[in-house]
Every structure is written in C-alpha cells, then in structure tokens.
Amino acid sequence: MTLSSPVPDVVDLPVASLPTGLRIGGELSPGGAEPIEVVNPATGEAFATVAAADTADVDRAVRVADETFRSGVWSRMPIHDRARLLHRFADGIEARMADLYTLETMNNGRPITETKAQITRLAEWYRYNAALLLADRDAVVPLRGDYHAYTSRFPLGVVGILAPFNHPMMIASKSLAPALATGNSVVLKPSEQTPLTAMLLGDIAADAGIPPGVLNVINGLGRTAGAALTEHPLVKKVVFTGGTEVGRAISLATAGRFAKATLELGGKSPVLVFDDTPVDVAARGAAFAGFIGAGQTCIAGSRLLVQRGVYDRVVDGLAAQAQQIRVGDPSLPETQLGPVISERARTRILGHVESGIAEGARLVTGGRAADVPGLPGGFFIEPTVLADVRNDMQIAQQEIFGPVVVVIPFDDEDEAIRLANDSPFALGSAIWTRDVARAHRVAQQLEMGMVWVNDHHRLDPSSPWGGLKESGTGREGGWESFHDFTHVRAITVRTAADDVDWYGGRATGRLN
C-alpha cells in the first residue's frame, strides 16, 4: 500500500467566515441545543463549531416554512419566474464550486479529486428540474359523456430533507432541486457530522433571490432535531438517506399522518463478474465499485460474486489494486482513499472484518487501521479484501459501510442471480460481461432498483435512483421524483348544453 504524506499548504478556505447559525426565515439565529463541533476525519480534530437546533427551533423552522408556503411567494410564483431563480441558484453554486468541494473534503474526508468530480455536477440537478418545471404538462382524461376532464398538480407544502454525511451536497440536492422546482418550502437538516456545505448552500440560495423561508437550514442531532422534523404534523414529505432502522422509524412516523416519504437506506450491492470478462478489467471495476468514498456509500460494490473459472485471478487482481491505492490526506490531489467519518465508524468496520475472519473468510489484504504519516489522529483504514466468503455469512449480508469487499464464488448464471438476490437489501448492482445478451438477460432478473453493466456508481438527474426491500422506498431523479413532490387533482368540467336535473325526471347516464 502506498501512503501519501500531507503538505502544510492545503487548500485555503476561510472557515471562520462561513455561516454557523440556524437559517430560519432568511435569518441566522443561535440554536437552543448544545453547539456541535465539526471534526475533520483526516486529523481527528475539530475545526468549526455550529449552532444546533432543539425541538422548539425545529418547530419554528417548520412553521416559518409553512407560512411562507401558504403566502404563495414561492408556491404560486409563475413557473417561468421560479425556473429563472433556480437557474440563478445554479449559477451561484457554480460560482462557489471550489469552496463547496474544498469544504466537503474537510468535512467528510473524501479525497478532493472525488469530491470535485461529484460537486462540479451539482448545478445540473437544479437546471434539470427547472427544465422539468417548464416541460411538465397536465393530462387530459378521456371521460365518457359531455365532459372535459384533466389533471393538475400542486405542491405538497413543507418538505423535510435529512441529508447524510457521505455525500452531503449531492444527496441533499437530488431532492432539494425537485422540491423547490415544484413550489414546496423546505427544511434541510444535514448530518450533524457534515453540516457546513448545507449552511453555505443556504447563503447561495439567499443570494440568488430564493425568498426567505423557502429554504431553511437547521443543524442538530438526528435523535432530537431529526426526529422532531420527521414527526412534525406540518411536514408533508420526508426525504431521508441513511440507516435502515432509522428509515423504518421515519416510515412509521410519516405513515401515521399519511405524509409521503422517500427513503434511500442500506445496501450490499452485488457485483457479478462472469468469466468472459478480462481479469484486469474486472479487478479495476471491482476496486472502483468497492473503494470509492472509502466504501461509505449505500451502493458500494461490497459483495463481489465471481465465476469460478476466473475466481482466483480476480481475487489476486483486486488485492493488487487495493494495495496500490494511495491512502492519505484527502486534501491532496494524489490521494485516492481518505479516512472514514469517525473513530467509532473505524472501530465498527474493523469489527466486521474480525467477525468475517472468525466466520471463515480469508483475509487477502488490508484489515487494519492505516498509518498515514503526519496524520496520526485520522480515521484511516487499509482497503480490505476478504475472499472465500459464503453468501450466508454476516459479512455478506450486513452493510459494513467501509472500504471492505467480500468475494464469493459462483458456478453459473442461475447461481449468480440467486446469490445476488439473496440479500435483505436491493439498492444497486453491477454486471461485468462481454456478452450483451447475457447482460440484458441477467439485468432483467436482478431484483434491484438500479443495475449497471460494466460500470458502477453512475448517476444522472434524469435517471430514477432508489431501492426496494430494506434499501428503502421511493425514487430520486427523473420525472418519478419530480412528480412525487406534488399532489395530483382531477378536474371535471361539464360541457353539455342542458343543466343537471337528476331529480326532475330526466335522470339519465351514469353516476360513476
């Protein structure tokens, strides 16, 4: 394994100039809860302190958002004007791009090259949903008789978005963009571990002319501020990305008041490698699938299924790839793997590795904390490969959420499909093959929300993103997400020349 050494002149960002208060109704205010220290996972040290919301702050934010919604300043704004402001918002994001990706790397430890590649696409989500807003059309319903019937859509009201630590801006924007485009007001609560880019986004929205109270940003702990937001009776939809158990609790809370919920939860994505795939191609693809973002992504290719004819060579090739990955300071462009989010996360991940070895898995490479010169307090882990895993082992069934890939052999196509679908999770998956017919055939049998062929991790504003089973419900992206931030109403207009006189002796036709 190659370890990169840090240099003193990391990207300079004046953190002290960033907003640290709760943004409610266009104003920054201190929170009622204990302030939160923000830790750089590469150093293990706090580098900022932000305000935190208590339940009263959450209630105030939701009520301000609801009042703003009912005022119509955004919800009833002409769609061309709303789209124009969304484009201005996107312009503002592009203007602060360097600040956003630098800050996100400081905040969650993802290598700057990865963060930059992701954040530079952020504005696309706002522009795409602005375009959907202008392209959307009402449907005419072919009703029987002398009637003109059609549908119209209208916004839900207040939307609560709870964003995770691993991709704070991208995941928040996947729902924030359609929520705003369709006329809703939003209360955004970022992870307490990574609140800073969301706070900066609130500034950018205000500078772009988004009316006060339309986008409110509150920091706070998930168990207090997050719970209060998801349980608030005025919140008409909750969007959450995170663990399955928290998602289950949110689902119950929203169902109790018949609110909507989009939940993108855990994953244990299978990557199916067939023996017609060149070994070097498979090894590189598996490394990309499993180790990007230090494996801290719900769709990480953490369950590698390899056909027996190439199994040993793919395991060796993946191990070689893992050993070449440059682990180090995430602010350096040459770093390829940064730290995990916290010491607690590192302990949990390494505990999974130990349990897997105890179950009978073979440790091929990694499996330890990584020592990065100059960053003794960072939460680094060596890229880890565990081979000879059975699909019924805990490490094959549980989400590890770290740079750990488990490798499982299979004999034929039917077994590969069976193993892939044998999981409580069903978010993403990938197929590596040179046989185009097999690619389509297998993809149609994978019970997953997303399937990639000869690739992984790709997303676009136009493509629906989400899973099933314990990976959640609902979709982000495309028309599927856009319309889920609206209600639909059916409007029926009688066009007959005569009046309705059902009880006057002229009762004809159908009631339903």
Side-chain angles (χ1 to χ4, degrees), residues 10 25 38 55 67 130 146 154 179 216 237 239 242 252 254 263 269 271 293 314 336 338 389 424 466 486 496:
V10 295
V38 182
T55 55
E67 291 168 6
D146 294 327
F154 57 102
N216 307 274
K237 177 172 179 173
V239 181
L252 291 172
T254 51
L263 307 171
S269 297
V271 177
V314 169
Q336 296 175 319
V389 174
T486 66

Side-chain angles (χ1 to χ4, degrees), residues 146-218:
D146 294 327
Y147 296 96
H148 174 63
Y150 61 98
T151 61
S152 70
R153 291 186 175 271
F154 57 102
L156 305 175
V158 179
V159 173
I161 298 176
L162 291 85
F165 73 82
N166 54 344
H167 312 293
M169 279 294 88
M170 179 58 73
I171 291 179
S173 293
K174 285 197 295 183
S175 292
L176 178 59
L180 293 178
T182 48
N184 298 281
S185 294
V186 175
V187 178
L188 169 62
K189 195 205 87 66
S191 166
E192 56 263 36
Q193 295 171 303
T194 55
L196 296 176
T197 46
M199 301 168 75
L200 181 55
L201 194 69
D203 264 10
I204 296 171
D207 292 343
I210 305 293
V214 172
L215 174 56
N216 307 274
V217 183
I218 58 169

Side-chain angles (χ1 to χ4, degrees), residues 189 254 288 304 312 317 325 366 437:
K189 195 205 87 66
T254 51
F288 172 63
L304 182 62
D312 290 335
I325 292 174

Side-chain angles (χ1 to χ4, degrees), residues 12-371:
D12 183 32
L13 180 69
V15 176
S17 66
L18 295 171
T20 59
L22 311 178
R23 180 176 292 276
I24 301 175
E27 298 179 355
L28 294 176
S29 61
E34 189 74 20
I36 296 173
E37 284 193 334
V38 182
V39 174
N40 182 340
T43 65
E45 298 175 352
F47 68 100
T49 302
V50 299
D54 60 15
T55 55
D57 295 317
V58 175
D59 180 66
R60 182 163 61 93
V62 172
R63 293 187 183 280
V64 166
D66 183 63
E67 291 168 6
T68 305
F69 175 77
R70 296 184 184 284
S71 75
V73 64
W74 183 253
S75 59
R76 294 193 294 275
M77 179 183 287
I79 61 171
H80 290 82
D81 294 337
R82 199 189 305 151
R84 177 176 51 81
L85 287 179
L86 285 173
H87 280 290
R88 189 181 295 173
F89 188 18
D91 291 341
I93 289 171
E94 290 174 334
R96 300 295 299 273
M97 194 64 67
D99 289 342
L100 285 167
Y101 65 69
T102 300
L103 187 60
E104 191 147 301
T105 287
M106 293 172 65
N107 210 167
N108 75 353
R110 191 168 185 182
I112 193 74
T113 50
E114 291 183 19
T115 304
K116 183 177 181 180
Q118 187 177 80
I119 296 292
T120 49
R121 296 195 60 199
L122 209 62
E124 293 179 34
W125 265 256
Y126 298 91
R127 299 196 194 283
Y128 173 77
N129 281 278
L132 290 190
L133 176 61
L134 298 180
D136 202 12
R137 293 183 177 181
D138 296 327
V140 174
V141 181
L143 207 65
R144 184 192 300 266
D146 294 327
Y147 296 96
H148 174 63
Y150 61 98
T151 61
S152 70
R153 291 186 175 271
F154 57 102
L156 305 175
V158 179
V159 173
I161 298 176
L162 291 85
F165 73 82
N166 54 344
H167 312 293
M169 279 294 88
M170 179 58 73
I171 291 179
S173 293
K174 285 197 295 183
S175 292
L176 178 59
L180 293 178
T182 48
N184 298 281
S185 294
V186 175
V187 178
L188 169 62
K189 195 205 87 66
S191 166
E192 56 263 36
Q193 295 171 303
T194 55
L196 296 176
T197 46
M199 301 168 75
L200 181 55
L201 194 69
D203 264 10
I204 296 171
D207 292 343
I210 305 293
V214 172
L215 174 56
N216 307 274
V217 183
I218 58 169
N219 308 310
L221 300 179
R223 63 179 180 271
T224 52
L229 180 59
T230 61
E231 295 168 2
H232 201 290
L234 292 178
V235 173
K236 305 304 182 184
K237 177 172 179 173
V238 174
V239 181
F240 170 75
T241 300
T244 297
E245 291 310 309
V246 176
R248 201 185 313 278
I250 292 172
S251 181
L252 291 172
T254 51
R257 63 179 188 274
F258 303 107
K260 291 187 175 187
T262 293
L263 307 171
E264 201 253 69
L265 309 177
K268 193 72 176 179
S269 297
V271 177
L272 286 63
V273 175
F274 290 93
D275 60 9
D276 61 346
T277 306
V279 169
D280 60 334
V281 172
R284 290 195 299 268
F288 172 63
F291 297 131
I292 287 291
Q296 298 175 115
T297 166
C298 296
I299 47 93
S302 54
R303 192 161 54 108
L304 182 62
L305 310 179
V306 183
Q307 198 159 17
R308 287 191 190 274
V310 293
Y311 178 80
D312 290 335
R313 287 182 291 154
V314 169
V315 169
D316 291 343
L318 176 60
Q321 287 284 322
Q323 291 161 4
Q324 294 171 13
I325 292 174
R326 294 188 294 273
V327 182
D329 184 345
S331 69
L332 301 179
E334 62 266 28
T335 294
Q336 296 175 319
L337 190 79
V340 296
I341 191 64
S342 67
E343 178 58 40
R344 179 181 178 185
R346 180 166 66 176
T347 300
R348 175 183 52 76
I349 293 163
L350 294 178
H352 278 293
V353 173
E354 292 176 4
S355 296
I357 294 171
E359 284 187 281
R362 172 168 58 96
L363 178 63
V364 183
T365 189
R368 300 176 300 179
D371 180 21

